């Protein structure tokens, strides 16, 4: 018998004094084993006091938590907890579709609830291994009272209250009103979930919630300002107030009308400037309390939660030295890691939680940190690229300039600045919708600079940086930059990276400064992170605009013509292999 096998017998057998020990987790080779009955697991629901009164009714808010855990907890088994906090556990509504399906009424513990929880892959995987799996309904959603503030301090405080209850503090009640305690919990909590659910995990980790030992946010919002705004410009169509109404449901939407109104006021959609409302929803702005290890994912074509969210968190974790692991996926916002490599993801999730919730030295924190899905072959059988970090260590910055434009056409994108300083850009709303998606039209509606067809595959990994020197003709001017790729003779272009800025916010996102028409201004800003391979034969292009005509940000009615100084306008792109890795 192996030493590990003997350990299992000791943990689940009798003590040397002949007194039967309580049930314990089965651990073999530093991994929990599936020895507990899933069919016999306890399914229960509790309401946890949050210590807040967000709807102002004079009663402390209660958030409902649905739990599935091994039955052996009644005999003394101590279970770590996997928690997902979500506003979607009872669904959400499309406010633009008045004839859409009506959300079903909220339900408590019982057959319907059991079916919902048992449908989670995490319960099937972790409950037999001795974990408890829990679903929390954010305040103002489902059965929970109060009002959501969409990733704000109240949401995070409610998550903290639930985690605290699992660690042995706070108050909770069963559905019959009797007190509920989590004496069966080890006090170690891990969180998982996608998008908004992922944001709540990052927010809780940023707040330093005690007992939160690991998080697995997939496609999380990490800075709600950057989700809804971009350097002083409002991003279409993202609004926290709209999201708050959608998840609240008819009853809470009426009861929380004032709170939703405060979201509208806090967003300050008229200016797009940053303020205290947004600072309270930026989870990477202050990393001083962030110590929780993070396993996260990013999908390359996610237009809902774009790469600005991922890169901000990833870089902040690296700077702080917080353990981190990443899967880069091919797909949009709906793409999840278990769609790509189901068994591999399950094992990674299992080992991540075992490592940080139970302290098992399974080595996952010493393995290469990044798994990247191929863009050209996304099949699960195709091997992932495994690297120690992101971006790759051999990704180097290459600075590129727009050369002189051919009449009616494009300019070369080159490492040499243009010999001609000026480009007069003229806005035109009629051609505006084509400027992001088609190789034509050319000047004077945009700057469009392109490389020759790539001689070999070109890999970009990192965050491009845009610098522009301009003379605006009005007091308000947005700037738009797109890094694109396309193939000659094929209709359409693919955006690799994008970036926007309101020149009034060039010095501060909090305090805009009106422009002086005709004054030369130089501004530098980061674009969205990318991890892309441009196939051989395709071109890489840089598109520069003023207004983007509502394609990505709210149109600026005061925007006018702009003069660009091409000798001092450039984009720095992260190329794997550096200068020799790109065809120019």
């Amino acid at each position: 018998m192996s030493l590990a096998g003997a350990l299992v017998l000791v943990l689940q057998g009798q003590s040397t004094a002949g007194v039967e020990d309580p049930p314990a987790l089965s651990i073999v080779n530093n991994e929990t084993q599936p020895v507990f009955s899933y069919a016999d697991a306890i399914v229960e629901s509790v309401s946890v006091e949050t210590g807040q009164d967000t709807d102002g009714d004079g009663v402390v808010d209660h958030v409902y938590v649905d739990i599935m855990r091994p039955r052996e907890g009644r005999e003394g088994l101590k279970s770590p907890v996997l928690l997902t906090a979500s506003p979607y556990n009872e669904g959400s509504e499309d406010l633009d579709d008045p004839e859409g399906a009506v959300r079903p009424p909220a339900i408590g513990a019982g057959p319907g609830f059991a079916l919902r929880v048992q449908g989670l892959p995490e319960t099937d995987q972790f409950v037999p291994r001795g974990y408890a799996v829990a679903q929390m309904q954010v305040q103002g959603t489902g059965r929970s009272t109060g009002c959501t503030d969409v990733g704000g301090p109240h949401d995070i405080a409610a998550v903290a209250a639930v985690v605290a209850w699992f660690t042995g503090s706070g108050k909770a009640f069963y559905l019959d009103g009797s007190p509920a305690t989590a004496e069966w919990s080890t006090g170690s909590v891990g969180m998982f979930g996608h998008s908004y659910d992922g944001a709540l995990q990052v927010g809780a980790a940023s707040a330093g919630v005690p007992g939160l030992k690991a998080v697995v946010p997939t496609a999380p919002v990490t800075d709600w300002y950057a989700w809804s705004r971009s350097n002083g410009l409002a991003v279409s169509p993202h609004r926290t107030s709209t999201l708050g109404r959608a998840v609240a449901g008819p009853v809470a939407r009426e009861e929380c009308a004032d709170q939703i109104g405060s979201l509208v006021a806090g967003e300050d959609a008229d200016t797009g400037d940053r303020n205290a409302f947004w600072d309270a929803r930026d989870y990477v702005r202050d990393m001083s309390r962030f110590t929780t290890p993070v396993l996260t994912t990013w999908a390359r074509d996610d237009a809902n939660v774009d790469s600005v969210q991922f890169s901000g968190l990833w870089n902040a974790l690296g700077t702080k030295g917080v353990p981190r692991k990443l899967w880069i996926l091919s797909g949009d916002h709906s793409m999840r890691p278990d769609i790509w490599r189901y068994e591999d993801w399950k094992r990674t999730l299992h080992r991540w939680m075992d490592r940080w919730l139970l302290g098992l030295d399974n080595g996952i924190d010493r393995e290469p940190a990044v798994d990247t899905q191929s863009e050209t072959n996304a099949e699960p059988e195709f091997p992932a690229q495994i690297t120690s970090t992101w971006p790759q260590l051999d990704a180097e910055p290459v600075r590129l300039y727009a050369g002189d434009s051919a009449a009616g056409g494009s300019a070369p994108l080159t490492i040499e600045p243009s010999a001609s300083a000026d480009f007069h850009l003229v806005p035109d709303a009629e051609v505006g919708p084509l400027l992001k998606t088609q190789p034509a039209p050319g000047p004077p509606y945009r700057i469009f600079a392109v490389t020759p067809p790539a001689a070999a595959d070109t890999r970009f990994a990192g965050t491009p940086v845009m610098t522009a020197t301009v003379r605006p003709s009005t007091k308000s001017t947005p700037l738009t930059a797109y890094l694109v790729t396309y193939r000659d003779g094929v209709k359409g272009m693919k955006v690799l990276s994008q970036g926007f800025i309101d020149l009034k916010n060039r010095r501060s996102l909090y305090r805009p400064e009106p422009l002086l028409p005709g004054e030369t201004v130089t501004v530098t800003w980061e674009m969205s992170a990318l991890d892309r391979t441009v196939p051989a034969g395709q071109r890489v292009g840089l598109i520069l605009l003023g207004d983007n005509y509502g394609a990505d940000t709210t149109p600026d009615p005061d925007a006018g013509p702009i003069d660009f100084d091409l000798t001092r306008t450039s984009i720095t792109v992260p190329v794997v292999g550096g200068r020799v890795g790109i065809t120019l």
Side-chain angles (χ1 to χ4, degrees), residues 322-342:
V322 177
R324 57 182 184 164
K325 192 169 180 63
L326 167 68
W327 279 31
I328 298 176
L329 311 174
S330 288
D332 58 18
H333 188 61
S334 64
M335 183 62 180
R336 300 176 189 244
D338 53 351
I339 297 175
W340 173 31
R341 291 155 58 203
Y342 181 75

Side-chain angles (χ1 to χ4, degrees), residues 203-276:
S206 178
V209 172
L212 185 58
K213 303 297 185 182
V215 293
V216 184
T218 56
V221 176
T222 62
D223 176 2
W224 289 88
Y225 176 85
W227 178 76
S228 186
R229 304 284 184 267
S230 180
N231 297 314
L233 297 172
V235 176
S236 304
H238 291 167
R239 300 285 185 272
T240 60
S241 53
T242 301
L243 183 55
R245 282 192 292 266
V247 300
V251 175
R253 195 177 303 140
E254 181 176 344
E255 294 178 348
C256 298
D258 290 344
Q259 287 75 7
I260 292 174
S262 71
L263 295 179
V264 175
E267 289 172 332
D268 188 19
D270 291 339
T271 68
D273 299 334
R274 192 157 189 141
N275 55 30

Side-chain angles (χ1 to χ4, degrees), residues 31 347-355 362-364 367:
E31 290 189 7
R347 177 162 170 74
T348 300
L349 180 62
H350 173 205
R351 296 177 68 222
W352 193 256
M353 293 303 181
D354 274 2
R355 174 68 185 92
N362 55 26
I364 194 169
E367 296 172 356

Side-chain angles (χ1 to χ4, degrees), residues 203-210 212 283 286-292 320 322:
S206 178
V209 172
L212 185 58
Y283 309 137
D286 179 2
M287 294 287 289
S288 61
R289 293 176 289 177
F290 202 129
T291 60
T292 306
K320 181 74 184 296
V322 177

Side-chain angles (χ1 to χ4, degrees), residues 52-67:
Q52 307 177 99
D53 178 15
T54 56
D55 55 8
D57 64 356
V59 180
V60 174
D61 297 341
H62 283 238
V63 292
Y64 279 77
V65 183
D66 303 327
I67 305 164

Side-chain angles (χ1 to χ4, degrees), residues 64-412:
Y64 279 77
V65 183
D66 303 327
I67 305 164
M68 188 174 187
R69 59 187 177 88
R71 186 165 297 277
E72 286 78 1
R74 293 175 176 170
E75 303 168 12
L77 174 69
K78 298 294 186 180
S79 293
V81 180
L82 295 189
L83 170 67
T84 179
S86 178
Y88 302 123
N89 284 334
E90 299 289 353
S92 61
E93 295 184 14
D94 184 353
L95 300 181
D96 296 324
D97 182 12
E99 297 182 359
V102 177
R103 183 182 354 216
I107 54 177
F113 160 67
L115 287 173
R116 185 172 70 240
V117 172
Q118 290 174 359
L120 287 176
E122 289 79 11
T123 57
D124 179 61
Q125 178 181 4
F126 281 95
V127 170
R129 287 178 165 83
Y131 283 76
V133 179
Q135 292 178 314
M136 168 191 161
Q137 297 177 353
V138 171
Q139 68 267 34
T141 72
R143 292 162 287 156
S144 297
T145 62
C147 302
T148 178
D149 62 349
V150 188
H154 295 313
D155 275 6
I156 302 307
V159 173
V162 172
V163 174
W165 180 72
F166 285 123
T167 66
S169 62
K171 292 182 178 181
F173 303 88
Y174 293 112
L175 297 185
D176 64 4
S178 60
T181 60
E183 73 284 346
W184 46 264
S185 169
T186 63
S188 292
V189 179
M191 294 186 69
F192 66 96
H194 190 74
S195 192
Y196 192 141
D197 307 359
L200 297 176
Q201 301 170 55
V202 179
S206 178
V209 172
L212 185 58
K213 303 297 185 182
V215 293
V216 184
T218 56
V221 176
T222 62
D223 176 2
W224 289 88
Y225 176 85
W227 178 76
S228 186
R229 304 284 184 267
S230 180
N231 297 314
L233 297 172
V235 176
S236 304
H238 291 167
R239 300 285 185 272
T240 60
S241 53
T242 301
L243 183 55
R245 282 192 292 266
V247 300
V251 175
R253 195 177 303 140
E254 181 176 344
E255 294 178 348
C256 298
D258 290 344
Q259 287 75 7
I260 292 174
S262 71
L263 295 179
V264 175
E267 289 172 332
D268 188 19
D270 291 339
T271 68
D273 299 334
R274 192 157 189 141
N275 55 30
F277 174 90
W278 295 117
D279 285 349
R281 290 162 175 79
D282 182 353
Y283 309 137
V284 297
R285 181 170 176 265
D286 179 2
M287 294 287 289
S288 61
R289 293 176 289 177
F290 202 129
T291 60
T292 306
V294 178
L295 165 62
T296 190
T297 69
W298 161 47
R300 293 184 177 98
D301 291 316
D302 191 340
N304 185 351
V305 179
D306 70 11
S307 60
V308 172
Q309 305 295 326
F310 140 75
S311 61
L313 174 63
W314 183 255
N315 293 333
L317 293 172
T319 300
K320 181 74 184 296
V322 177
R324 57 182 184 164
K325 192 169 180 63
L326 167 68
W327 279 31
I328 298 176
L329 311 174
S330 288
D332 58 18
H333 188 61
S334 64
M335 183 62 180
R336 300 176 189 244
D338 53 351
I339 297 175
W340 173 31
R341 291 155 58 203
Y342 181 75
E343 293 298 334
D344 286 347
W345 175 253
K346 284 179 62 177
R347 177 162 170 74
T348 300
L349 180 62
H350 173 205
R351 296 177 68 222
W352 193 256
M353 293 303 181
D354 274 2
R355 174 68 185 92
W356 302 113
L357 271 64
L358 294 169
L360 300 181
D361 188 12
N362 55 26
I364 194 169
D365 50 320
R366 297 188 296 275
E367 296 172 356
V370 182
D371 286 33
T372 301
Q373 185 177 13
S374 169
E375 289 182 89
T376 57
N377 190 335
E379 295 301 318
E381 297 77 14
F382 195 81
Q385 181 185 35
I386 310 296
T387 53
S388 61
T389 190
W390 186 92
Q392 291 178 230
L393 296 176
D394 57 347
E396 299 178 4
V398 178
R399 192 172 189 179
L400 303 174
Y401 297 83
D404 296 323
S405 296
S410 61

Side-chain angles (χ1 to χ4, degrees), residues 479-498:
L479 292 181
T480 299
Y482 298 110
L483 186 69
V484 301
T485 184
Y486 70 99
R487 188 179 296 273
D488 290 343
V490 177
K491 186 177 181 179
M493 298 188 293
K494 184 178 184 64
V495 175
L496 304 174
S497 175
Q498 60 189 21

